[in-house]
Amino acid sequence: MNNNGFNDIINRLFRSGNPAMLYIGINVIVFLVFGVGSLFLPKGLGDEIVYQYLAFPADIAKWPVRFYTLVTYAFLHKGLFHILFNLLWLYWMGNLFLDFLKPRQFQVVYWGGAIIGALTFALIYNLSPQLNADGATLIGASAAVMAVFSAIATLVPNYSIRLLLFGDVRLKYLLLVYVLIDVVGVSPGSANIGGNLAHLGGALFGFAYIKLLQNGTDLSSFLIKKPKLKVVKNSTPPKKTEVTNQAEIDAILDKISKSGYDQLTTKEKQILFDASKN
C-alpha cells in the first residue's frame, strides 16, 4: 500500500468526524497491539492481563478498583471473528444511524449501550442462582453496536437493507431475529450467556433512547455546544439558498427524530437523499 492509500485510510478513520469510523479504527489498533504484544509475552500472560485487569467483572466487589473497565472492556475482542463481526455491523449500522441522526446522538447511544449492556450482564449474574459472578467477565463492543442497531431499527423500522441469500430485509425484522437469538442464548448451558445478556441490555437502551427522542427528550442534549457570540466586521453574508437549505435539512432531521422516517413526504426524502450526496 502506498503512502496516499495509507493516508486515505487514516483520514477516513480518525479525521472524518465520523464516530463509527473512529471506533472501528481504535478497535483495530487495540486488537493488533494485544495480538502482536502477546507474541512477546509468556504464553497465557496476555489473556491474563486482559481478563484480570481490563475486562468488565460481574463481581461487584471488584468495581471500586476496576471502574475503568466500563470503558476498556468495549475495546477488547477475543479472536478475529469476534472483532470482524462487531466491526462490520458497526460500519453498516453506524453509518446508517448517522444518515438520520447526529454524531453526538451516536456517542450517547454507543456508550449508553456499552454501559447498560455491562450492567445488565452484572445484574443478572449477581441475581441468578444458576450463575456465578465470581470470575465472570465481559469483553467486546457487541452491546454498544447492538444499541446502535436497535436505535436505528426503532427510528426507521421499515427501512430495508439487502442481505446475501435473503434479499431485502426490513430492519425491524432483522432486529427481532437478533433479539430472539440472544434470548435463546441466555438459557442455561449456553456458551455465551454473559455476552447475550449484554446484547439485550444494549438493545433495550437503543430502543429507549429513540422512544424518548420521539417524545421530545434527547439524552444527548448535554453535548450541544452553545454558540459563542462575536462581532465580525466586513464579513460576507452567507448565501440565502445555503442557509435555507440547511434549515430545511435540519427540520427534516428533527421530523425523523420525532415521527420516524416513514412520515416524511416524497419531497422531503428526496431533499435528504440529495443532501447526503453533497
Side-chain angles (χ1 to χ4, degrees):
M1 181 184 297
N2 58 38
N3 287 335
N4 288 335
F6 180 76
N7 288 335
D8 287 342
I9 293 175
I10 295 299
N11 287 333
R12 188 171 185 185
L13 291 176
F14 300 106
R15 299 171 187 166
S16 65
N18 182 325
M21 299 305 294
L22 173 65
Y23 291 131
I24 288 173
I26 295 174
N27 274 284
V28 169
I29 289 174
V30 171
F31 183 76
L32 292 176
V33 167
F34 276 93
V36 175
S38 64
L39 297 176
F40 300 93
L41 296 173
K43 187 176 181 179
L45 182 57
D47 286 344
E48 182 179 347
I49 292 173
V50 168
Y51 288 103
Q52 288 294 323
Y53 300 104
L54 300 175
F56 180 76
D59 187 354
I60 297 176
K62 297 177 181 178
W63 290 3
V65 293
R66 289 172 60 181
F67 58 90
Y68 57 88
T69 57
L70 266 178
V71 173
T72 58
Y73 96 90
F75 292 109
L76 302 167
H77 293 85
K78 181 66 174 178
L80 179 61
F81 288 105
H82 188 196
I83 188 172
L84 180 62
F85 187 81
N86 276 342
L87 297 192
L88 282 174
W89 276 102
L90 178 56
Y91 177 80
W92 293 325
M93 295 301 152
N95 283 291
L96 181 59
F97 182 104
L98 292 165
D99 282 341
F100 295 97
L101 297 168
K102 300 176 177 63
R104 61 176 170 80
Q105 294 171 316
F106 178 94
Q107 296 283 8
V108 170
V109 171
Y110 186 89
W111 284 109
I115 293 170
I116 297 301
L119 295 179
T120 301
F121 150 77
L123 177 66
I124 303 302
Y125 261 77
N126 281 280
L127 293 179
S128 173
Q130 299 186 41
L131 299 174
N132 182 13
D134 184 27
T137 56
L138 181 69
I139 62 171
S142 304
V145 175
M146 192 67 175
V148 173
F149 178 19
S150 176
I152 192 60
T154 304
L155 181 65
V156 286
N158 292 317
Y159 188 99
S160 296
I161 61 174
R162 179 156 296 181
L163 298 179
L164 185 66
L165 302 179
F166 294 96
D168 292 339
V169 179
R170 292 184 179 183
L171 288 181
K172 61 183 179 183
Y173 298 131
L174 190 59
L175 176 64
L176 178 61
V177 168
Y178 273 85
V179 169
L180 289 176
I181 290 173
D182 285 324
V183 170
V184 172
V186 299
S187 59
S190 296
N192 188 30
I193 295 178
N196 290 319
L197 288 171
H199 298 170
L200 292 172
L204 179 61
F205 180 81
F207 172 81
Y209 178 89
I210 295 300
K211 288 304 179 182
L212 286 171
L213 185 64
Q214 291 173 337
N215 287 322
T217 301
D218 185 355
L219 297 180
S220 72
S221 59
F222 71 96
L223 294 175
I224 298 176
K225 295 181 179 179
K226 296 181 179 180
K228 295 181 180 179
L229 298 178
K230 63 179 181 178
V231 177
V232 179
K233 296 182 179 180
N234 299 324
S235 61
T236 303
K239 294 181 180 179
K240 185 177 180 180
T241 54
E242 292 179 354
V243 175
T244 302
N245 288 341
Q246 185 57 52
E248 195 171 23
I249 292 169
D250 290 341
I252 294 173
L253 291 175
D254 288 338
K255 183 175 179 180
I256 291 174
S257 298
K258 295 176 180 178
S259 305
Y261 180 79
D262 293 340
Q263 298 302 314
L264 297 183
T265 65
T266 302
K267 181 180 178 182
E268 288 171 332
K269 291 179 181 179
Q270 187 61 46
I271 291 173
L272 194 62
F273 178 78
D274 292 340
S276 68
K277 300 301 180 183
N278 294 333

